[in-house]
Amino acid sequence: MRTFFNSLFPTSASNLAPEVDHIYFALLALCGFVAFGVCVAIVWFCIRYRRGSRADRTPPKGSPIRLEITWTVIPMIIFLGLFFWAAEVFFGMSRPPADATEIYVVGKQWMWKVQHADGRREINEIHVPVGHPVKLIMTSQDVIHDVFIPDFRNKQDVVPGRYTTEWFTPTKPGKYHLFCSQYCGTDHSKMTGWVYVMEPAEHAKWLASQPAPDSLVAEGERAFHMRGCSGCHEVNSTIHAPLLDGIYGKRVPLADGTFVTADEQYIRDSILLPNKQVAAGFAPVMPTYQGQISEDELNAIIAYLKSSGGKESP
Ligand SMILES: [Cu+2]
């Protein structure tokens, strides 16, 4: 019975899966109940008003206002209830917890590149320990892709030029399919991967068995110097440019008088489209790095700037 059900329905392997499934089954039950009622009415009317039967066929007098109010108000309450229920689940799905492990994912025709904070990289595979929330920070190097992990019940487009996120807490060790679910060209159907959910001890063993490269932050710091960012953005630079220590999450005043929160998107745009949002009090002299810097390197620089809080000069 259990395996028969599993062949019809994906495993439930994340904290989000039961929440999504409850809505799904509630909708299924509601629709089934209504469909059943309609069928019963059809059969009943067919028999009662068949040709030759002596049923009363005179039209009812007056308007059945009570009946009309009932059949308007009850469905309205049911459907608004469903709406708020689903909205609540949706908000939960779109707000990753603060302590989630951040993993960068770059989609490209036709593979997934994964960067962990400790600098480890994977292709078409993500290894995570069970029971801890994971936040994927995703972007694309070319066209629109989409990360879909059916057993986790979450799905999010991966769009060139911007960051989207998706999070989950894996609840069951195992190996789960990851699909690209936006048609993205010839080999779209081969753009698949696996999420390996491991017991913490097993995950630690896996980590130890991998060569440990420099952390993403160290890589970002290196790029920050190599690309010449530090030449302008350091305390003793001769060019008047903002200090970037602790910039992540700050509200930044812009030259046009508005403010923006410095998130991944703002830092990315500052590097690729420096004239889009110019920081207040600075000349727009920063060169664009569009076309010169890879998505992986951008992710590393962003991770570095995120980590560089607290050592700000007065
Ligand atoms: Cu794709």
Side-chain angles (χ1 to χ4, degrees), residues 13 101 103 116 120 122 125-134 152 168-176 194-210:
T101 307
I103 299 178
H116 293 267
R120 275 169 233 273
E122 302 185 70
E125 286 184 355
I126 307 178
H127 287 76
V128 289
V130 70
H132 190 76
V134 174
F152 295 174
F168 52 82
T169 302
T171 50
K172 221 187 329 177
K175 181 182 173 190
Y176 304 104
W194 295 100
V195 180
Y196 292 87
V197 176
M198 307 162 104
E199 294 290 356
E202 208 190 326
H203 186 253
K205 228 182 335 169
W206 175 79
L207 278 180
S209 74
Q210 303 284 309

Side-chain angles (χ1 to χ4, degrees), residues 2-292:
R2 175 118 197 96
T3 46
F4 172 69
F5 181 74
N6 282 358
S7 68
L8 292 178
F9 211 74
T11 323
S12 162
S14 81
N15 62 322
L16 309 168
E19 296 181 23
V20 173
D21 290 355
H22 289 159
I23 295 180
Y24 177 78
F25 285 117
L27 281 173
L28 197 64
L30 182 67
C31 295
F33 175 74
V34 172
F36 180 74
V38 170
C39 288
V40 167
I42 288 174
V43 172
W44 165 245
F45 287 140
C46 281
I47 295 169
R48 187 169 156 83
Y49 295 104
R50 69 189 184 281
R51 188 160 65 180
S53 80
R54 276 192 270 141
D56 176 13
R57 287 179 165 80
T58 52
K61 286 184 229 40
S63 62
I65 187 80
R66 282 226 188 111
L67 185 64
E68 291 197 3
I69 288 178
T70 313
W71 76 36
T72 307
V73 170
I74 290 179
M76 193 174 84
I77 291 172
I78 293 175
F79 284 107
L80 278 180
L82 278 171
F83 169 77
F84 284 112
W85 180 13
E88 143 125 34
V89 170
F90 178 78
F91 283 133
M93 285 175 98
S94 29
R95 291 190 188 132
D99 66 336
T101 307
E102 296 190 343
I103 299 178
Y104 289 87
V105 176
V106 178
K108 68 173 270 205
Q109 284 168 326
W110 291 276
M111 61 191 248
W112 298 107
K113 295 194 282 181
V114 177
Q115 291 170 282
H116 293 267
D118 64 3
R120 275 169 233 273
R121 287 160 190 278
E122 302 185 70
I123 301 278
N124 294 338
E125 286 184 355
I126 307 178
H127 287 76
V128 289
V130 70
H132 190 76
V134 174
K135 172 182 174 187
L136 305 181
I137 302 175
M138 311 181 296
T139 190
S140 164
Q141 207 169 301
D142 37 48
V143 300
I144 298 178
H145 302 278
D146 188 302
V147 168
F148 179 29
I149 310 165
D151 294 329
F152 295 174
R153 310 288 191 274
N154 55 2
K155 184 160 177 256
Q156 174 64 52
D157 272 10
V158 174
V159 185
R162 56 185 272 197
Y163 294 99
T164 51
T165 61
E166 173 168 318
W167 80 276
F168 52 82
T169 302
T171 50
K172 221 187 329 177
K175 181 182 173 190
Y176 304 104
H177 253 305
L178 183 157
F179 294 114
C180 176
S181 85
Q182 272 300 338
Y183 179 66
C184 58
T186 315
D187 282 344
H188 163 68
S189 63
K190 293 186 193 144
M191 192 165 165
T192 61
W194 295 100
V195 180
Y196 292 87
V197 176
M198 307 162 104
E199 294 290 356
E202 208 190 326
H203 186 253
K205 228 182 335 169
W206 175 79
L207 278 180
S209 74
Q210 303 284 309
D214 280 349
S215 74
L216 203 56
V217 169
E219 200 183 306
E221 185 169 8
R222 206 163 345 104
F224 194 76
H225 290 284
M226 239 172 54
R227 293 286 180 180
C229 318
S230 52
C232 293
H233 285 289
E234 241 159 34
V235 189
N236 44 14
S237 142
T238 51
I239 291 171
H240 183 53
L243 293 175
L244 299 179
D245 282 347
I247 183 172
Y248 184 77
K250 262 201 201 141
R251 262 164 67 79
V252 177
L254 297 181
D256 63 6
T258 58
F259 286 82
V260 61
T261 302
D263 53 6
E264 285 94 355
Q265 188 71 46
Y266 175 70
I267 294 173
R268 176 201 181 85
D269 287 347
S270 294
I271 298 169
L272 299 182
L273 311 161
N275 291 339
K276 183 178 158 202
Q277 291 159 311
V278 177
F282 296 95
V285 294
M286 177 166 159
T288 171
Y289 286 83
Q290 187 95 52
Q292 305 172 26

